[in-house]
C-alpha cells in the first residue's frame, strides 16, 4: 500500500510580516503553511518579511506541516532576492506567483542547479497565459504542486464574483487535468468568505468535486471545513477497506472482478479504495 501520500487538504497563507501569525501556525491543524512575501506584504515591509520568513523556516517546530515560502515574481524588485534567500533557508517548497511559461520555471531551476539545491516548486496558475500553458508547466521537472490563483485570474478575466464560480470552471478543470496528467497535486484558490462556514464549505465541496486535492486558505477559521471536505470520512474509509477485502478475496480465487453490496468491484475501484485507506492512514499517523 502507498504510504507516501502527503495530505494537502488545507494550505494556509500566513503574512511573513506578521511574526505572531507565523508562530501560531505551529499549533493549527493545517497540512501546510505558506509564509507569504507577495500579496500579503506591503512594499515597505518586503525585506523585513523575507528575513522573518527565512528565520522561521530555519527555526522549525512545525511537525508534520509542510512549510513553504511564496516569493515575489521575477519582474518585481524583490523577486530574485526572495528566491535566493528561500533557497538558502530550504523550506519544503517555494511557491512561485503568476507562472505563465516554461521559461520562467527554467530560470528558477537553473538557479537551483547553480547552487546545488533542489527544492520542490509550486507554480501558481493565475493568469490567462498561465492557464493556456498549464500542461507544459505541469510537465516540468521540479514541479510538485499546481496552485490556483483564482482572485487574480478572476480579475484578469473580468469575471463577476459569483458563488458558483461559473466563469472559472474552464480554468479550474484544465488545471486539474494537467496536474493529473503529470502526477502533480493541485490546490484550489483562496476564498475571502470568513464569516459563513456553510458558504465556504460549499466552495470546498465544489473544489473537491472538480478534483482538487485541497484548498489554499487565508484564515485559520477556514482550516476545519477544508480538512473535513478534502479528507475522507470514517464511512468512506470503512467502505474502502471493505472494497479492498472483497477485491483481495477475489484475487485469491483467481477472479478478475468482485461483488460487494450488489455492485461490481474492478481493479480501478480497488486502486481508488487503496488510496483512500492510505490517505486516512497518513493523516492518522502524523504527530502534532
Amino acid at each position: 500500500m502507498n504510504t507516501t501520500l502527503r495530505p494537502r487538504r488545507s494550505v494556509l497563507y500566513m503574512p511573513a510580516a506578521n511574526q505572531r501569525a507565523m508562530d501560531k501556525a505551529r499549533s493549527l491543524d493545517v497540512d501546510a503553511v505558506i509564509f507569504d512575501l507577495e500579496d500579503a506584504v506591503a512594499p515597505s515591509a518586503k525585506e523585513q518579511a523575507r528575513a522573518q520568513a527565512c528565520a522561521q523556516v530555519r527555526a522549525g517546530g512545525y511537525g508534520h506541516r509542510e512549510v513553504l515560502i511564496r516569493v515575489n515574481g521575477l519582474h518585481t524588485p524583490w523577486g530574485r532576492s526572495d528566491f535566493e534567500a528561500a533557497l538558502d533557508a530550504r523550506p519544503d517548497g517555494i511557491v512561485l506567483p503568476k507562472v505563465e511559461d516554461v521559461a520562467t520555471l527554467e530560470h528558477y531551476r537553473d538557479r537551483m542547479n547553480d547552487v546545488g539545491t533542489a527544492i520542490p516548486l509550486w507554480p501558481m496558475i493565475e493568469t490567462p497565459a498561465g492557464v493556456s500553458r498549464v500542461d507544459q508547466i505541469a510537465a516540468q521537472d521540479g514541479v510538485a504542486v499546481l496552485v490556483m490563483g483564482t482572485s487574480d485570474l478572476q480579475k484578469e478575466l473580468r469575471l463577476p464574483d459569483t458563488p458558483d464560480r461559473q466563469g472559472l470552471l474552464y480554468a479550474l478543470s484544465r488545471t486539474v487535468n494537467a496536474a493529473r496528467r503529470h502526477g502533480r497535486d493541485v490546490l484550489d484558490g483562496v476564498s475571502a468568505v470568513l464569516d459563513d462556514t456553510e458558504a465556504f464549505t460549499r466552495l470546498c465541496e465544489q473544489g473537491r468535486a472538480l478534483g482538487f486535492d485541497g484548498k489554499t486558505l487565508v484564515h485559520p477559521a477556514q482550516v476545519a471545513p477544508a480538512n473535513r471536505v478534502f479528507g475522507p470520512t470514517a464511512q468512506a474509509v470503512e467502505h474502502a477497506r471493505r472494497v479492498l477485502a472483497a477485491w483481495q478475496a477475489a484475487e485469491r480465487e483467481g477472479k478478475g472482478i468482485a461483488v460487494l453490496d450488489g455492485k461490481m468491484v474492478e481493479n480501478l475501484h480497488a486502486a481508488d479504495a487503496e488510496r483512500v485507506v492510505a490517505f486516512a492512514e497518513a493523516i492518522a499517523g502524523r504527530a502534532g
Side-chain angles (χ1 to χ4, degrees):
M1 181 172 293
N2 179 8
T3 58
T4 62
L5 285 174
R6 188 121 199 200
R8 292 173 172 133
R9 304 162 297 170
S10 51
V11 179
L12 179 63
Y13 287 106
M14 306 293 273
N18 188 332
Q19 183 68 50
R20 184 176 178 183
M22 291 192 293
D23 287 336
K24 182 179 180 180
R26 292 189 176 99
S27 63
L28 297 176
D29 186 22
V30 68
D31 290 333
V33 292
I34 299 172
F35 299 146
D36 189 13
L37 306 180
E38 197 210 13
D39 288 345
V41 179
S44 60
K46 294 286 189 184
E47 293 187 6
Q48 177 187 355
R50 179 195 304 145
Q52 290 184 175
C54 292
Q56 203 75 8
V57 169
R58 293 189 182 96
Y62 288 87
H64 66 265
R65 303 161 189 85
E66 285 184 281
V67 179
L68 303 99
I69 295 175
R70 177 164 74 166
V71 298
N72 287 279
L74 291 175
H75 63 284
T76 71
W78 314 281
R80 295 181 188 279
S81 295
D82 285 352
F83 191 70
E84 296 286 341
L87 288 180
D88 190 56
R90 295 180 179 268
D92 294 311
I94 301 176
V95 182
L96 309 173
K98 296 181 176 63
V99 174
E100 298 187 326
D101 51 41
V102 170
T104 300
L105 284 175
E106 288 176 341
H107 174 88
Y108 288 117
R109 199 168 55 216
D110 288 347
R111 186 57 191 140
M112 287 196 293
N113 290 336
D114 289 343
V115 299
T117 299
I119 295 176
L121 301 177
W122 292 26
M124 296 192 68
I125 307 301
E126 48 187 337
T127 67
V131 172
S132 70
R133 302 185 186 106
V134 67
D135 197 74
Q136 298 98 302
I137 291 168
Q140 295 303 299
D141 291 341
V143 170
V145 179
L146 298 180
V147 183
M148 290 301 307
T150 47
S151 298
D152 281 287
L153 184 57
Q154 180 176 306
K155 177 180 70 70
E156 293 283 337
L157 294 173
R158 303 176 190 169
L159 298 176
D161 186 11
T162 59
D164 61 8
R165 302 194 297 176
Q166 184 174 357
L168 289 172
L169 293 181
Y170 167 76
L172 295 172
S173 291
R174 180 164 179 169
T175 302
V176 169
N177 188 76
R180 294 293 172 255
R181 182 182 178 192
H182 298 286
R184 317 304 189 194
D185 276 2
V186 58
L187 301 175
D188 198 359
V190 301
S191 167
V193 176
L194 303 179
D195 59 354
D196 189 335
T197 301
E198 289 186 8
F200 180 73
T201 298
R202 286 193 294 270
L203 283 172
C204 290
E205 289 170 344
Q206 182 197 42
R208 181 68 188 91
L210 288 168
F212 285 96
D213 295 292
K215 193 166 182 67
T216 48
L217 314 173
V218 295
H219 194 277
Q222 298 175 326
V223 172
N227 283 346
R228 184 169 59 252
V229 171
F230 288 98
T233 65
Q235 293 83 355
V237 176
E238 175 59 26
H239 177 72
R241 293 188 189 279
R242 293 179 63 227
V243 167
L244 283 176
W247 176 251
Q248 291 161 359
E251 279 192 320
R252 287 193 295 269
E253 297 173 8
K255 298 178 181 179
I257 63 171
V259 177
L260 177 67
D261 299 334
K263 295 182 179 180
M264 184 172 65
V265 175
E266 298 180 279
N267 60 347
L268 73 161
H269 303 117
D272 284 344
E274 186 177 40
R275 189 181 191 284
V276 169
V277 173
F279 195 86
E281 290 178 348
I283 295 171
R286 300 182 315 187

